[in-house]
Every structure is written in C-alpha cells, then in structure tokens.
Amino acid sequence: MIPLLSGLRVLDLTSVIYGPLIGQVLGDFGADVIKVESPEGDLARGIQPRGPQGDSAMFVCNNRNKRSIVLDLKTAGGREVFTRLLRWAEVFVHNMRPAAIDRLGFGFAPVAAINPEIIYCAAVGFGSGGRYAGRPAFDDVIQAAGGIAALPSYRGQDPAYVPGVMADKVAALTATYGVMAAIAARGRGMKGPIEVEAAMFEAVAAFVLNEHLAAAAFGGPPESAGYHRMFAADRRPYRTLDGWIAALPYTEQQWRRLLEFTGREDVLEAPWFSDPGERSAHIAELYTVLAEEMARRSTDDWLRALQELDIPHARVNRLEDLLRDPHLQDVDFFAPNGSGLARSARQPVRFPSLPDQPDRPAPALGADGQDVLAMLGYDAAGVAALRGAAAFG
C-alpha cells in the first residue's frame, strides 16, 4: 500500500472485476475503501479455484486493501445504513446497471442530495444517452462490440476473444483515472458533486481505435481505418529452432543491423529500403524476412544476438514463466497478501521515494461489519435491530 490517498473515504458497491479493480487501485494508494456486499456476497468469491479460506483467487486479486460489510439494500434498514455510508464517503463507485441502481434509490441525483460533495462513479456497460444504454455487458460482449474480437479477421483469421478479461480491466483503469481526475479537481477547489461515468464499450472502442483510426482520422471513409503494420501476417511471435520469440526492429538502423547480421544484403539493396514511407509500405515483406531468419537459430542464440544488436526482443513467456521471471523477482513483483494466497501481483505503479505500507488482505464476507456500524454511530441495540430485520449480516 502506498499512502498517497490516505484518509480518502471510498464506498465500493461493485462486483466481479470491472468495479472491484477500481476500488482496489484506490485502496492500493491508501484510501479507506468499504466494500458493501449483498448477503450472497460478490459473485466472484465463488469462482474456482478457491483458497483454503473459501474465496476465489479472482476475488482476492481484485479486493485487497478494503473492508467488507454485508447489507441487504432491499430492506429499509440496509438502505438506512447505506445512506449513512454515503454521507461518510468522498467517493462512491458502483457497477450496477442504471435501472437497478435507480430502483434502489441511489442514482446520481438522490446521492448528490444525500452528499452534495460526493464524487459519484458509475462504471457501466454502455454510456448514457446512447441507444445501447442499460444493456447488460460482460467481457466477451464488449470485446466483440468494441472491436477487439474482430482484429484477427484483418489477417484472414476468424474473430476471436483475447483469452483474458481484457475489456473489464481496460474499462476499470479508464474509470480509475476518471476518479483520480475528480479527486485532483476536488483538491484544487472544485465544489459540488462530480459525476464520473465510465462505460466499457466506449473505453474499449477508444483503446482499439487509438492506432487503428489511421486514415479515418483525417476524414477517410470508415473502411480506411486500420494500422496496416498490425495486420501483416508475419507480424507475430516467431518460431525458432526450439521455441518462440518476439523481435521488433523498428527504426532503419535496427533493421539495417539485423539484416546485416543475417546476411540479407538483398533487402538492404532494395530501392525502397532507405525511404521511411516506402519502407513502411513494404513492412509486410520485412516481417516475412524476419520470420524466415528467426527459424534458422535457437531461441537462446537469438536472445544473445538481439541483445548485442540492441533490437527490442523478448522470449515468449507462458503464464508459468511469468511466475519464475527473474526480473519480476528482482522488483518484488509477487508477494503474499493473506487470504490464503502465496503470491499476488502487486500494484505495478511505484513511488520509490515513498515508504510502502503492508497491504490489507481481501476481506472475508462481512468481516468488518461491526466496526463499520460502530463508526457510523450504531450502538448494540441498533446493530441488533438491523440483524433482526435481516438488513445486516
């Protein structure tokens, strides 16, 4: 934990990955994050594999540095406690569909009436004002809608999902920088409620189109979109004699060094090679040469050669290789965080001049409920009444 946001009060009404990752990042930077869960708990708690304490690795990896309270927001008592938490909070984050949060009475306008200085972050699937607003959204759906799944089709392959929860994480980090901007604005004197809306579809579309707008950015037709370098069939991990490697010569000097090393003077002598525009137009041919040459040597031979040639490169790591990667070991990337985990991926942003503090492990369901209620002013009788009404667990 890095104490840059110490004292910031965050109310987290989120589940699975998209919402919880926002709260975890804020907690990693020192915010006091209270996670409100239903009596059934965050859906992610039950996803396999599960650790000895019963919670899943997915839950534990997205909910460190938080406290947990169980409230049934369908009850009057649960909503009363939640209203007190909204008065306590400086930031409120949820990833419920708009109609669902409105049914509970905690849309932006009612919450702003409860707390006129709230930073209200709605992490939604599709932005309000658009015709898709309110639709259900999960990672695969947004990978498809946002253009990720179709990218392989530009290389003659079938559309495919990235085999990772890409859309949730891109959207979560987008939402987080929106919240951080609001926090900064508050610190610079902005008054009144601030509404932050982060939509998965728009976040992923922006992520994909950053380089792929291409000629369409200058007014070309929609069909002119697409960064051609990315669609070359041989821009890919390369097979060596005994494995796989990534190599990416980019400048003329890097290509020249590699082609001289491999004896491909025929390419160096091509009339288009020394002109940047022409070389870019022939990039697919260069990648094909690269693929041919990579297949002639072992992975270790190439790693040594590319290091000496000062050309960007990497071994193609599998998941298990990351867990053994010496650089990640050097920088203490993996560390236990309790909750039954022997290792977790730490917050990747570092502030070397600031002291780290120990992370708080992801909380057991409702583990901090009594403390949170006491903080809100409930006495023993009040807690008992909430339990009796099934509002608090």
Side-chain angles (χ1 to χ4, degrees):
M1 182 188 295
I2 305 154
L4 287 168
L5 297 178
S6 292
L8 181 75
R9 302 183 300 276
V10 178
L11 182 58
D12 179 335
L13 183 65
T14 67
S15 61
V16 193
I17 292 180
Y18 178 18
L21 183 56
I22 303 167
Q24 176 167 284
V25 173
L26 297 175
D28 283 351
F29 291 132
D32 181 6
V33 183
I34 295 179
K35 181 180 178 74
V36 174
E37 298 183 69
S38 70
E40 297 77 26
D42 186 332
L43 177 66
R45 285 186 183 271
I47 295 173
Q48 296 290 350
R50 297 167 69 178
Q53 298 180 28
D55 287 329
S56 72
M58 179 182 289
F59 178 85
V60 172
C61 288
N62 288 281
N63 287 281
R64 66 174 172 254
N65 294 319
K66 301 181 185 182
R67 298 189 278 167
S68 171
I69 183 173
V70 170
L71 296 174
D72 187 344
L73 298 185
K74 296 177 182 178
T75 67
R79 290 192 296 275
E80 176 198 319
V81 176
F82 195 75
T83 298
R84 292 199 192 188
L85 282 168
L86 284 168
R87 293 194 182 104
W88 165 87
E90 296 171 88
V91 177
F92 170 48
V93 182
H94 77 82
N95 65 334
M96 298 180 69
R97 291 164 70 179
I101 196 73
D102 287 341
R103 282 195 299 271
L104 291 174
F106 297 118
F108 174 67
V111 168
I114 294 166
N115 182 345
E117 294 298 316
I118 196 72
I119 294 170
Y120 183 107
C121 177
V124 298
F126 300 89
S128 62
R131 64 190 64 195
Y132 307 152
R135 286 186 183 180
F138 288 99
D139 197 271
D140 289 358
V141 172
I142 299 299
Q143 285 200 39
I148 291 176
L151 290 176
S153 69
Y154 290 88
R155 300 170 70 173
Q157 303 163 9
D158 290 339
Y161 301 130
V162 174
V165 190
M166 177 69 70
D168 272 29
K169 291 180 286 189
V170 167
L173 296 178
T174 302
T176 302
Y177 72 63
V179 171
M180 293 287 198
I183 293 168
R186 181 73 76 229
R188 295 174 67 85
M190 180 177 286
K191 302 294 184 182
I194 300 175
E195 186 175 13
V196 179
E197 181 183 88
M200 291 177 71
F201 177 46
E202 286 93 315
V204 169
F207 182 79
V208 169
L209 289 174
N210 178 278
E211 74 276 17
H212 282 303
L213 267 176
F218 300 108
E223 292 76 18
S224 66
Y227 183 28
H228 71 284
R229 297 175 68 96
M230 301 296 174
F231 301 148
D234 283 319
R235 189 179 189 274
R236 55 183 172 81
Y238 299 112
R239 185 182 288 280
T240 66
L241 284 175
D242 58 357
W244 295 88
I245 196 168
L248 187 60
Y250 199 79
T251 67
E252 178 182 349
Q253 292 75 20
Q254 289 170 347
W255 277 112
R256 186 174 296 279
R257 290 197 298 270
L258 181 68
L259 293 168
E260 288 173 350
F261 175 78
T262 56
R264 294 300 303 264
E265 284 79 7
D266 58 311
V267 180
L268 290 172
E269 293 168 1
W272 48 263
F273 180 80
S274 295
D275 180 88
E278 288 297 308
R279 191 171 59 254
S280 177
H282 288 79
I283 195 67
E285 296 170 49
L286 286 170
Y287 288 143
T288 297
V289 169
L290 190 56
E292 293 169 352
E293 295 303 323
M294 289 288 151
R296 303 184 195 281
R297 300 169 187 259
S298 71
T299 299
D300 285 342
D301 285 347
W302 271 120
L303 291 172
R304 285 190 293 269
L306 292 167
Q307 180 70 23
E308 292 174 4
L309 293 168
D310 195 26
I311 290 172
H313 66 280
R315 189 188 302 271
V316 176
N317 281 331
R318 293 176 58 83
L319 299 177
E320 58 269 27
D321 297 324
L322 287 177
L323 299 182
R324 294 187 287 257
D325 186 272
H327 175 87
L328 295 180
Q329 301 295 332
D330 292 342
V331 299
D332 296 324
F333 185 75
F334 297 108
N337 77 345
S339 306
L341 288 187
R343 62 170 68 91
S344 65
R346 66 157 168 78
Q347 170 55 242
V349 179
R350 308 304 286 167
F351 297 84
S353 63
L354 297 178
D356 272 0
Q357 297 176 356
D359 283 327
R360 182 187 185 113
L365 180 61
D368 307 287
Q370 294 276 9
D371 291 341
V372 170
L373 290 179
M375 178 192 74
L376 295 174
Y378 286 90
D379 58 17
V383 173
L386 289 169
R387 286 193 190 279
F392 164 69

